[in-house]
Amino acid sequence: MRVLVPVKRVVDYNVKIRIKSDQSGVDIAGLKMSMNPFDEIATEEAIRLKERGVASEIVAVSMGEAKCQETLRTALAMGADRAILVETAVELQPLAVAKLLKAIVAREQPGLVLMGKQAIDDDSNQTAQMLAGLLGWPQATFASKIEIGDGTATVGREVDEGIETIRVRLPAVISVDLRLNEPRYASLPNIMKAKKKPIDTLTPEALGVDPTPRLDYLRVEEPPKRKAGVKVGSVQELVAKLKGEAGVI
Ligand code: AMP
């Protein structure tokens, strides 16, 4: 079974981001970029499926500017077999990514698309669901456990009340949550080997997809600053403040 793993290049999760002075978005100039952490988890899971003999080939795909190649090289160094870059200067929103992925699914015929539940830059949590809808495939989102059986996947899903277990027929789209696994670091020899693995470059036009954004960002704002707290001297003072000032008891 071929597994397709979409990996997004995002601002590294350790970086403290700044909003542009005209509030049009986040200033990413010169910031450290990395693979979206949920996509690292999806890549790791695909590699484990291959190590168990369930997956035969792992294809990583990234969409955006040419620098997404770096993200694909990381996936290849972790253990993906080959990669596809869909290169475009257009800002890609989830619907465009889902349409592009649908076109790649038609070319690659994977048995499973394993992807992040969410990109940590736009926090959309939409692409997997849209892709499953466009393909007419079953979806299992927020996976914290995946078992592949005979033509099916049994997936533990993180929901508010705990873990919900569902079974979906393959081919399917599965989006992964934080607790599924701990992604491996690529070893130096594997980083060197990854340099020789193939990356195919395509464009939205070649895939017959119009990636034009459908949504406009009106304004991006910082959350309000938290007010400083106060230290109380005694339990009596605390109770008095909770009653008098906060009005919560
Ligand atoms: P989102 O719906 O934007 O929160 O993203 C969910 C998932 O879709 C991500 O974790 C990736 O697996 C995939 N994805 C979104 N945008 C891209 C992109 N530009 N290139 C590759 N994969 C993407």
Side-chain angles (χ1 to χ4, degrees), residues 6-8 36 39 61-63 94 97 115-116 118-119 122 124-127:
V7 293
K8 187 174 186 186
N36 182 42
D39 302 349
V61 50
S62 192
M63 304 175 181
V97 176
M115 56 200 291
Q118 188 167 334
D122 61 20
S124 295
N125 182 355
Q126 295 174 357
T127 310

PDB file of all heavy atoms in Angstrom, residues 6-8 36 39 61-63 94 97 115-116 118-119 122 124-127, ligand 1:
ATOM      1  N   PRO A   6       1.098  14.535   3.194  1.00  0.00           N
ATOM      2  CA  PRO A   6       1.281  15.964   2.935  1.00  0.00           C
ATOM      3  C   PRO A   6       2.018  16.624   4.103  1.00  0.00           C
ATOM      4  O   PRO A   6       1.654  16.431   5.262  1.00  0.00           O
ATOM      5  CB  PRO A   6      -0.157  16.504   2.844  1.00  0.00           C
ATOM      6  CG  PRO A   6      -1.035  15.290   2.715  1.00  0.00           C
ATOM      7  CD  PRO A   6      -0.303  14.191   3.424  1.00  0.00           C
ATOM      8  N   VAL A   7       3.066  17.388   3.775  1.00  0.00           N
ATOM      9  CA  VAL A   7       3.860  18.049   4.830  1.00  0.00           C
ATOM     10  C   VAL A   7       3.966  19.533   4.529  1.00  0.00           C
ATOM     11  O   VAL A   7       4.378  19.932   3.448  1.00  0.00           O
ATOM     12  CB  VAL A   7       5.265  17.400   4.987  1.00  0.00           C
ATOM     13  CG1 VAL A   7       5.143  15.991   5.516  1.00  0.00           C
ATOM     14  CG2 VAL A   7       6.051  17.391   3.683  1.00  0.00           C
ATOM     15  N   LYS A   8       3.591  20.346   5.498  1.00  0.00           N
ATOM     16  CA  LYS A   8       3.580  21.792   5.267  1.00  0.00           C
ATOM     17  C   LYS A   8       4.786  22.459   5.915  1.00  0.00           C
ATOM     18  O   LYS A   8       5.178  22.083   7.026  1.00  0.00           O
ATOM     19  CB  LYS A   8       2.291  22.394   5.837  1.00  0.00           C
ATOM     20  CG  LYS A   8       2.126  23.861   5.492  1.00  0.00           C
ATOM     21  CD  LYS A   8       0.785  24.421   5.942  1.00  0.00           C
ATOM     22  CE  LYS A   8       0.607  25.847   5.435  1.00  0.00           C
ATOM     23  NZ  LYS A   8      -0.613  26.465   5.956  1.00  0.00           N
ATOM     24  N   ASN A  36       5.553  21.290   9.747  1.00  0.00           N
ATOM     25  CA  ASN A  36       4.449  21.362  10.700  1.00  0.00           C
ATOM     26  C   ASN A  36       4.524  20.150  11.657  1.00  0.00           C
ATOM     27  O   ASN A  36       4.620  19.006  11.200  1.00  0.00           O
ATOM     28  CB  ASN A  36       3.137  21.330   9.897  1.00  0.00           C
ATOM     29  CG  ASN A  36       1.924  21.438  10.767  1.00  0.00           C
ATOM     30  OD1 ASN A  36       1.895  22.231  11.706  1.00  0.00           O
ATOM     31  ND2 ASN A  36       0.912  20.643  10.465  1.00  0.00           N
ATOM     32  N   ASP A  39       2.580  17.083  10.982  1.00  0.00           N
ATOM     33  CA  ASP A  39       2.998  16.367   9.767  1.00  0.00           C
ATOM     34  C   ASP A  39       4.224  15.488  10.053  1.00  0.00           C
ATOM     35  O   ASP A  39       4.419  14.450   9.417  1.00  0.00           O
ATOM     36  CB  ASP A  39       3.299  17.346   8.636  1.00  0.00           C
ATOM     37  CG  ASP A  39       2.089  18.223   8.319  1.00  0.00           C
ATOM     38  OD1 ASP A  39       0.991  17.917   8.835  1.00  0.00           O
ATOM     39  OD2 ASP A  39       2.240  19.207   7.596  1.00  0.00           O
ATOM     40  N   VAL A  61       4.428  15.013   0.132  1.00  0.00           N
ATOM     41  CA  VAL A  61       4.089  16.101  -0.800  1.00  0.00           C
ATOM     42  C   VAL A  61       3.970  17.417  -0.043  1.00  0.00           C
ATOM     43  O   VAL A  61       3.415  17.465   1.051  1.00  0.00           O
ATOM     44  CB  VAL A  61       2.795  15.767  -1.596  1.00  0.00           C
ATOM     45  CG1 VAL A  61       1.674  15.334  -0.704  1.00  0.00           C
ATOM     46  CG2 VAL A  61       2.330  16.951  -2.432  1.00  0.00           C
ATOM     47  N   SER A  62       4.579  18.460  -0.610  1.00  0.00           N
ATOM     48  CA  SER A  62       4.488  19.769   0.007  1.00  0.00           C
ATOM     49  C   SER A  62       4.123  20.795  -1.063  1.00  0.00           C
ATOM     50  O   SER A  62       4.512  20.656  -2.224  1.00  0.00           O
ATOM     51  CB  SER A  62       5.815  20.145   0.676  1.00  0.00           C
ATOM     52  OG  SER A  62       5.620  21.277   1.500  1.00  0.00           O
ATOM     53  N   MET A  63       3.377  21.802  -0.656  1.00  0.00           N
ATOM     54  CA  MET A  63       2.896  22.786  -1.615  1.00  0.00           C
ATOM     55  C   MET A  63       3.231  24.188  -1.151  1.00  0.00           C
ATOM     56  O   MET A  63       3.004  24.513   0.018  1.00  0.00           O
ATOM     57  CB  MET A  63       1.376  22.679  -1.725  1.00  0.00           C
ATOM     58  CG  MET A  63       0.978  21.281  -2.086  1.00  0.00           C
ATOM     59  SD  MET A  63      -0.774  21.113  -2.066  1.00  0.00           S
ATOM     60  CE  MET A  63      -0.854  19.394  -2.500  1.00  0.00           C
ATOM     61  N   PRO A  94      -6.797  26.151   2.646  1.00  0.00           N
ATOM     62  CA  PRO A  94      -7.114  24.720   2.751  1.00  0.00           C
ATOM     63  C   PRO A  94      -7.880  24.128   1.556  1.00  0.00           C
ATOM     64  O   PRO A  94      -7.554  23.018   1.119  1.00  0.00           O
ATOM     65  CB  PRO A  94      -7.943  24.638   4.032  1.00  0.00           C
ATOM     66  CG  PRO A  94      -7.366  25.725   4.880  1.00  0.00           C
ATOM     67  CD  PRO A  94      -7.049  26.842   3.929  1.00  0.00           C
ATOM     68  N   VAL A  97      -5.437  23.516  -1.208  1.00  0.00           N
ATOM     69  CA  VAL A  97      -4.549  22.384  -0.878  1.00  0.00           C
ATOM     70  C   VAL A  97      -5.312  21.070  -1.066  1.00  0.00           C
ATOM     71  O   VAL A  97      -4.789  20.113  -1.647  1.00  0.00           O
ATOM     72  CB  VAL A  97      -4.017  22.511   0.571  1.00  0.00           C
ATOM     73  CG1 VAL A  97      -3.184  21.295   0.945  1.00  0.00           C
ATOM     74  CG2 VAL A  97      -3.185  23.780   0.721  1.00  0.00           C
ATOM     75  N   MET A 115      -2.111  12.599   7.283  1.00  0.00           N
ATOM     76  CA  MET A 115      -1.712  14.013   7.352  1.00  0.00           C
ATOM     77  C   MET A 115      -1.935  14.606   8.729  1.00  0.00           C
ATOM     78  O   MET A 115      -2.538  13.966   9.593  1.00  0.00           O
ATOM     79  CB  MET A 115      -2.470  14.801   6.293  1.00  0.00           C
ATOM     80  CG  MET A 115      -3.980  14.690   6.375  1.00  0.00           C
ATOM     81  SD  MET A 115      -4.773  15.121   4.820  1.00  0.00           S
ATOM     82  CE  MET A 115      -4.450  16.866   4.724  1.00  0.00           C
ATOM     83  N   GLY A 116      -1.435  15.829   8.924  1.00  0.00           N
ATOM     84  CA  GLY A 116      -1.611  16.493  10.206  1.00  0.00           C
ATOM     85  C   GLY A 116      -3.061  16.913  10.402  1.00  0.00           C
ATOM     86  O   GLY A 116      -3.760  17.205   9.435  1.00  0.00           O
ATOM     87  N   GLN A 118      -3.838  19.611  11.732  1.00  0.00           N
ATOM     88  CA  GLN A 118      -3.873  21.071  11.747  1.00  0.00           C
ATOM     89  C   GLN A 118      -2.496  21.612  11.396  1.00  0.00           C
ATOM     90  O   GLN A 118      -1.490  21.048  11.815  1.00  0.00           O
ATOM     91  CB  GLN A 118      -4.231  21.466  13.168  1.00  0.00           C
ATOM     92  CG  GLN A 118      -4.518  22.880  13.431  1.00  0.00           C
ATOM     93  CD  GLN A 118      -5.150  23.002  14.825  1.00  0.00           C
ATOM     94  OE1 GLN A 118      -5.775  22.072  15.327  1.00  0.00           O
ATOM     95  NE2 GLN A 118      -4.960  24.130  15.442  1.00  0.00           N
ATOM     96  N   ALA A 119      -2.480  22.707  10.655  1.00  0.00           N
ATOM     97  CA  ALA A 119      -1.211  23.396  10.428  1.00  0.00           C
ATOM     98  C   ALA A 119      -1.086  24.465  11.501  1.00  0.00           C
ATOM     99  O   ALA A 119      -2.040  25.210  11.738  1.00  0.00           O
ATOM    100  CB  ALA A 119      -1.207  24.017   9.031  1.00  0.00           C
ATOM    101  N   ASP A 122      -1.901  28.471  10.221  1.00  0.00           N
ATOM    102  CA  ASP A 122      -3.261  28.992  10.010  1.00  0.00           C
ATOM    103  C   ASP A 122      -4.272  28.355  10.969  1.00  0.00           C
ATOM    104  O   ASP A 122      -5.405  28.823  11.081  1.00  0.00           O
ATOM    105  CB  ASP A 122      -3.703  28.827   8.553  1.00  0.00           C
ATOM    106  CG  ASP A 122      -3.741  27.372   8.096  1.00  0.00           C
ATOM    107  OD1 ASP A 122      -3.793  26.468   8.943  1.00  0.00           O
ATOM    108  OD2 ASP A 122      -3.733  27.146   6.870  1.00  0.00           O
ATOM    109  N   SER A 124      -6.151  25.954  10.721  1.00  0.00           N
ATOM    110  CA  SER A 124      -7.451  25.783  10.051  1.00  0.00           C
ATOM    111  C   SER A 124      -8.161  24.493  10.446  1.00  0.00           C
ATOM    112  O   SER A 124      -9.358  24.482  10.692  1.00  0.00           O
ATOM    113  CB  SER A 124      -7.282  25.804   8.535  1.00  0.00           C
ATOM    114  OG  SER A 124      -6.840  27.052   8.117  1.00  0.00           O
ATOM    115  N   ASN A 125      -7.412  23.375  10.464  1.00  0.00           N
ATOM    116  CA  ASN A 125      -8.025  22.074  10.746  1.00  0.00           C
ATOM    117  C   ASN A 125      -9.156  21.806   9.748  1.00  0.00           C
ATOM    118  O   ASN A 125     -10.281  21.517  10.131  1.00  0.00           O
ATOM    119  CB  ASN A 125      -8.523  22.067  12.209  1.00  0.00           C
ATOM    120  CG  ASN A 125      -9.125  20.730  12.606  1.00  0.00           C
ATOM    121  OD1 ASN A 125      -9.257  19.828  11.780  1.00  0.00           O
ATOM    122  ND2 ASN A 125      -9.514  20.603  13.853  1.00  0.00           N
ATOM    123  N   GLN A 126      -8.848  21.969   8.470  1.00  0.00           N
ATOM    124  CA  GLN A 126      -9.880  21.809   7.435  1.00  0.00           C
ATOM    125  C   GLN A 126      -9.453  20.887   6.289  1.00  0.00           C
ATOM    126  O   GLN A 126     -10.297  20.279   5.644  1.00  0.00           O
ATOM    127  CB  GLN A 126     -10.204  23.178   6.802  1.00  0.00           C
ATOM    128  CG  GLN A 126     -10.837  24.147   7.754  1.00  0.00           C
ATOM    129  CD  GLN A 126     -11.005  25.524   7.127  1.00  0.00           C
ATOM    130  OE1 GLN A 126     -10.599  25.769   5.990  1.00  0.00           O
ATOM    131  NE2 GLN A 126     -11.604  26.428   7.868  1.00  0.00           N
ATOM    132  N   THR A 127      -8.147  20.845   6.016  1.00  0.00           N
ATOM    133  CA  THR A 127      -7.711  20.239   4.752  1.00  0.00           C
ATOM    134  C   THR A 127      -8.057  18.757   4.661  1.00  0.00           C
ATOM    135  O   THR A 127      -8.550  18.293   3.625  1.00  0.00           O
ATOM    136  CB  THR A 127      -6.189  20.464   4.569  1.00  0.00           C
ATOM    137  OG1 THR A 127      -5.912  21.846   4.782  1.00  0.00           O
ATOM    138  CG2 THR A 127      -5.737  20.082   3.184  1.00  0.00           C
TER     139      THR A 127
HETATM  140  P1  AMP B   1      -4.922  22.907   7.907  1.00  0.00           P
HETATM  141  O1  AMP B   1      -6.247  22.400   7.427  1.00  0.00           O
HETATM  142  O2  AMP B   1      -4.426  24.116   7.141  1.00  0.00           O
HETATM  143  O3  AMP B   1      -4.889  23.135   9.411  1.00  0.00           O
HETATM  144  O4  AMP B   1      -3.829  21.769   7.592  1.00  0.00           O
HETATM  145  C1  AMP B   1      -4.039  20.408   7.895  1.00  0.00           C
HETATM  146  C2  AMP B   1      -3.001  19.543   7.208  1.00  0.00           C
HETATM  147  O5  AMP B   1      -3.102  19.697   5.786  1.00  0.00           O
HETATM  148  C3  AMP B   1      -1.547  19.849   7.527  1.00  0.00           C
HETATM  149  O6  AMP B   1      -1.155  19.253   8.750  1.00  0.00           O
HETATM  150  C4  AMP B   1      -0.843  19.203   6.317  1.00  0.00           C
HETATM  151  O7  AMP B   1      -0.776  17.787   6.459  1.00  0.00           O
HETATM  152  C5  AMP B   1      -1.820  19.514   5.181  1.00  0.00           C
HETATM  153  N1  AMP B   1      -1.435  20.761   4.492  1.00  0.00           N
HETATM  154  C6  AMP B   1      -1.982  22.001   4.641  1.00  0.00           C
HETATM  155  N2  AMP B   1      -1.353  22.902   3.852  1.00  0.00           N
HETATM  156  C7  AMP B   1      -0.359  22.224   3.203  1.00  0.00           C
HETATM  157  C8  AMP B   1       0.656  22.585   2.257  1.00  0.00           C
HETATM  158  N3  AMP B   1       0.801  23.836   1.798  1.00  0.00           N
HETATM  159  N4  AMP B   1       1.488  21.596   1.800  1.00  0.00           N
HETATM  160  C9  AMP B   1       1.358  20.337   2.245  1.00  0.00           C
HETATM  161  N5  AMP B   1       0.429  19.933   3.125  1.00  0.00           N
HETATM  162  C10 AMP B   1      -0.424  20.855   3.601  1.00  0.00           C
END
